[in-house]
Amino acid sequence: MKNIWTVRFDVRNFASASLVEQDEGEGILDIAEFCPDWPDFEGQRIGKAWKMFRAELDPEKQIGNFTDIDPGVLICDAFAHSKIGEAIAEEVEVLPIQVDKLEMNVLNVINTIDCLDESRSDIEYFSDGGVASIKRYSLDTNLLTDVMLFKIPQFSRTEIYASNTFRDLVLNTSLTGLNFQNIFCS
């Protein structure tokens, strides 16, 4: 049996991060107001275009091994990376980010698989034909053999999907900060 899960952050119990940018002479700006360099993370490699971003954690919540910053983006601490890094090395690009004084990594998921069977899924479309939401997924599991993490073209900017293998790895190593929602079972 193959289960596929969406990867979500446990924002209820763990701190989220907010990007910040040093403004010349005027302190720190909230990046939500201005950050033209923050990439879209749509499954493409960022490579040498990446610059070291800074972020701050919500001081009101505990810090998890994974931190929320933007939909479709995984950020993890060094401990989490040591536990899962080798298993997902072919599916992510590791990019350094400074979160408060912690050295963390953006795990940019570059494994995009066109496995959504739109004809068998229950999908709501925008008027221009783009996918607005998916109420019931049907996936071609033949394309998901030996996959840990992936994105689909329809939601490459906002969603990360995981196999049982990745979910079990995170849960069995007691890593914190993520939730998984089952979206497909074959």
Side-chain angles (χ1 to χ4, degrees):
M1 182 176 299
K2 184 171 276 206
N3 289 296
I4 301 298
W5 309 82
T6 55
V7 179
R8 299 286 164 84
F9 295 95
D10 185 355
V11 294
R12 185 169 285 184
N13 296 304
F14 295 95
S16 293
S18 298
L19 288 167
V20 292
E21 183 170 57
Q22 198 73 32
D23 187 22
E24 298 189 26
E26 296 191 26
I28 294 175
L29 295 173
D30 184 330
I31 210 72
E33 295 173 17
F34 178 75
C35 185
D37 297 332
W38 185 248
D40 289 335
F41 295 103
E42 294 179 304
Q44 79 283 15
R45 285 189 180 277
I46 307 298
K48 293 180 182 179
W50 180 254
K51 73 174 204 174
M52 177 64 84
F53 287 92
R54 288 188 46 232
E56 293 179 341
L57 291 166
D58 177 353
E60 303 294 317
K61 294 185 179 173
Q62 67 180 333
I63 301 169
N65 299 113
F66 291 91
T67 301
D68 178 42
I69 198 163
D70 198 14
V73 180
L74 285 175
I75 293 184
C76 73
D77 63 15
F79 178 75
H81 190 252
S82 73
K83 296 294 182 185
I84 66 169
E86 187 175 315
I88 61 173
E90 299 298 316
E91 299 172 343
V92 301
E93 175 185 33
V94 180
L95 305 166
I97 186 169
Q98 183 182 359
V99 181
D100 285 333
K101 297 198 185 290
L102 305 171
E103 290 182 26
M104 300 185 92
N105 291 300
V106 172
L107 303 178
N108 176 26
V109 178
I110 56 171
N111 190 25
T112 303
I113 303 172
D114 193 3
C115 61
L116 179 66
D117 183 343
E118 289 191 40
S119 67
R120 292 184 175 178
S121 298
D122 185 3
I123 299 175
E124 287 186 13
Y125 292 92
F126 290 115
S127 59
D128 68 1
V131 175
S133 67
I134 304 171
K135 296 184 183 294
R136 185 181 46 79
Y137 285 78
S138 180
L139 302 172
D140 182 351
T141 57
N142 294 321
L143 299 173
L144 301 175
T145 304
D146 298 325
V147 170
M148 298 280 274
L149 288 172
F150 66 98
K151 292 185 171 196
I152 62 173
Q154 294 84 351
F155 288 135
S156 62
R157 185 163 184 344
T158 58
E159 295 288 349
I160 298 171
Y161 301 91
S163 65
N164 274 344
T165 309
F166 179 78
R167 179 182 172 269
D168 292 347
L169 179 60
V170 168
L171 297 177
N172 292 336
T173 54
S174 301
L175 298 176
T176 59
L178 293 181
N179 287 325
F180 298 91
Q181 179 183 356
N182 186 256
I183 57 142
F184 182 75
C185 180
S186 67

